[in-house]
Amino acid sequence: MSTELSQDTKPAAEHWRSYGPLDLHPILVHTMEAFNEHGYHGTSVRDIARRVGVTVPALYYHYENKQALLATLLETSIKDVLDRCRAAAGEAGDDPLARFCGMVESIVLYMAHRQQLAFLDTEIRSLEPQNRARYVALRDYLQHMLLDTVEAGRARGVFTTPIPADAVRSVLIMCQGVANWFRADGPLTAEEVAARHVLLSLGAVGHPGAVTGDSSFPLPRGSAPRTSR
């Protein structure tokens, strides 16, 4: 699967490490909160309308049904991850090590800074077949971006894993898990969590420095992993 940018792909509007307020329509914000609190099937359209402060018909004016709300939220999330991941890879250039580190960092930062939105990935099971297929294709694209980079690193002797596809799946599962447990008021900042996950991910793909402690690989700026926490 090619991971070259298509002609209609727009560059990320902001630097991939930067996060401002979540820019979503109020209907989507309240829907996201309801789905996170009660799950997709435990949330009714009437409950969403009540949270927004509109009537159910007014809600349907903007979105066809509850399924359309879920699909919109999930696609908004994965497209933002992809934009940031592309930007991180582009910034790193042709060096597979720098590209891999940047992409992993970008994914983890997204999971921490857009936690409520990223957590909705657990509702993929609630998507109808057509919506699910479209979402899975975007998620697979992200996986192939990482896999292409790992394969390039293996060709140059940077990564040594004999099972690159499995290693990449493991890395993504680990990174996506940050949305489940990260706390902004916890002992680690998002940047420190990203640094640790870069190190762990390098171990998964067989970078020697991840085992020997060599810090020559590009960890997130100003956030080298600490062992005191």
Side-chain angles (χ1 to χ4, degrees), residues 16-46:
W16 57 270
R17 285 191 179 99
S18 300
Y19 285 87
L22 186 59
D23 184 19
L24 286 178
H25 190 284
I27 290 176
L28 291 176
V29 172
H30 288 290
T31 301
M32 175 185 69
E33 292 170 350
F35 287 167
N36 278 324
E37 290 173 20
H38 305 294
Y40 176 78
H41 292 293
T43 302
S44 67
V45 173
R46 188 173 299 279

Side-chain angles (χ1 to χ4, degrees), residues 119-138:
F119 182 74
L120 287 180
D121 183 75
T122 58
E123 289 291 354
I124 185 176
R125 62 188 182 276
S126 301
L127 286 172
E128 294 173 357
Q130 185 176 358
N131 291 331
R132 179 185 174 91
R134 188 166 57 247
Y135 179 73
V136 168
L138 290 168

